[in-house]
Structure formats: structure tokens, C-alpha cells
């Protein structure tokens, strides 16, 4: 019997995160205000740096994904969020489970980019104060 586990997205993948992912998560954990909503498919990284901060996380849904999210659903999830974090690890997660990244339909130019280290991006919803 041979078991092949090419990715460990179903569990705590802190050790699989890149340094840019961890630095970006630390930035968001430090500077995000209390009581905000953030779109992030892998919120564990933020929790490592400030587990006491009250941040509600929004995602595309729970595994297993049974269908590819349509653009209306994806954009609705973005509208529900005060902040959006996007990362290379998140992209790989979507590619692994869905075969494509559903965030490719999002026009990120309508959000304020507040952090960018090439592997981790944080956007603020334009109406967030």
C-alpha cells in the first residue's frame, strides 16, 4: 500500500508557507483593526501572530469543493470583506483543488492595495474606514 500526499492543504500547513506569506500575515495581524472581515482562504497564518485579534474570515467554502465558484459568487465574497488577502500559497491551493484560481475574475483595481511583497497581497475595501 502506497499513499501519496502531494499537498497538505487539509491541515495546518504553517511549515509549508513561504517566508513572504508569513511576513505578509504578520503585517496584517499587526495592523488590521479589531472587528473586521477578511477574505482569506488560509487564515491560520494570521492567527499565529495574533490569535486574540477579532477578525472574521470569509472564504469560498469548505472542502471538498463540489463545483467551481462562478464569478457572481466570487465577487459577492469580496464585497462581504473589509480586507482581502491573496497569496501564492492560496493560488496553489485553488489550482490543486479546483484546477484554476477563481480569484482570476476579481478586478482588484477597485480595492486599495495596502501591502504587497510579491507573494502576499493585502487589499482594503474602498469603503473601509
Amino acid at each position: 500500500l502506497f499513499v501519496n500526499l502531494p499537498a497538505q492543504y487539509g491541515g495546518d500547513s504553517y511549515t509549508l508557507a513561504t517566508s513572504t506569506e508569513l511576513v505578509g500575515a504578520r503585517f496584517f495581524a499587526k495592523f488590521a483593526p479589531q472587528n473586521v472581515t477578511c477574505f482569506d482562504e488560509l487564515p491560520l497564518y494570521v492567527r499565529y501572530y495574533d490569535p486574540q485579534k477579532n477578525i472574521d474570515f470569509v472564504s469560498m467554502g469548505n472542502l471538498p469543493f463540489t463545483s467551481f465558484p462562478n464569478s457572481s459568487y466570487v465577487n459577492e465574497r469580496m464585497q462581504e470583506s473589509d480586507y482581502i488577502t491573496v497569496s501564492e500559497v492560496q493560488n496553489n491551493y485553488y489550482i490543486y483543488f479546483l484546477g484554476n484560481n477563481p480569484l482570476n475574475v476579481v478586478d482588484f483595481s477597485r480595492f486599495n492595495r495596502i501591502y504587497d511583497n510579491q507573494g502576499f497581497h493585502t487589499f482594503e475595501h474602498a469603503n473601509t474606514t
Side-chain angles (χ1 to χ4, degrees), residues 67-88:
S67 64
F68 192 83
N70 66 38
S71 61
S72 297
Y73 178 75
V74 172
N75 283 299
E76 179 182 298
R77 301 308 277 175
M78 299 300 112
Q79 286 300 116
E80 295 173 5
S81 306
D82 299 315
Y83 293 89
I84 300 163
T85 60
V86 179
S87 68
E88 286 300 314

Side-chain angles (χ1 to χ4, degrees), residues 109-126:
S109 68
R110 64 188 170 132
F111 303 107
N112 299 325
R113 185 183 301 247
I114 60 172
Y115 183 84
D116 184 351
N117 72 4
Q118 296 182 345
F120 189 92
H121 314 285
T122 302
F123 300 90
E124 181 180 38
H125 211 267

Side-chain angles (χ1 to χ4, degrees), residues 44-56:
L44 289 173
Y45 303 129
V46 174
R47 294 287 185 220
Y48 280 119
Y49 294 107
D50 193 347
Q52 300 301 315
K53 188 164 275 190
N54 187 18
I55 300 171
D56 290 327

Side-chain angles (χ1 to χ4, degrees), residues 7-126:
Q8 298 176 2
Y9 293 116
D12 183 351
S13 57
Y14 181 81
T15 58
L16 300 177
T18 63
S19 60
T20 55
E21 180 93 16
L22 298 175
V23 170
R26 184 175 60 214
F27 170 86
F28 184 74
K30 182 176 181 180
F31 292 108
Q34 287 282 3
N35 302 315
V36 295
T37 303
C38 178
F39 176 86
D40 189 340
E41 203 67 58
L42 304 167
L44 289 173
Y45 303 129
V46 174
R47 294 287 185 220
Y48 280 119
Y49 294 107
D50 193 347
Q52 300 301 315
K53 188 164 275 190
N54 187 18
I55 300 171
D56 290 327
F57 289 98
V58 174
S59 70
M60 289 294 167
N62 296 322
L63 294 174
F65 288 112
T66 56
S67 64
F68 192 83
N70 66 38
S71 61
S72 297
Y73 178 75
V74 172
N75 283 299
E76 179 182 298
R77 301 308 277 175
M78 299 300 112
Q79 286 300 116
E80 295 173 5
S81 306
D82 299 315
Y83 293 89
I84 300 163
T85 60
V86 179
S87 68
E88 286 300 314
V89 172
Q90 184 182 51
N91 179 63
N92 294 342
Y93 171 85
Y94 286 133
I95 300 297
Y96 180 78
F97 282 108
L98 298 173
N100 197 357
N101 187 339
L103 298 183
N104 290 340
V105 301
V106 176
D107 177 14
F108 286 104
S109 68
R110 64 188 170 132
F111 303 107
N112 299 325
R113 185 183 301 247
I114 60 172
Y115 183 84
D116 184 351
N117 72 4
Q118 296 182 345
F120 189 92
H121 314 285
T122 302
F123 300 90
E124 181 180 38
H125 211 267

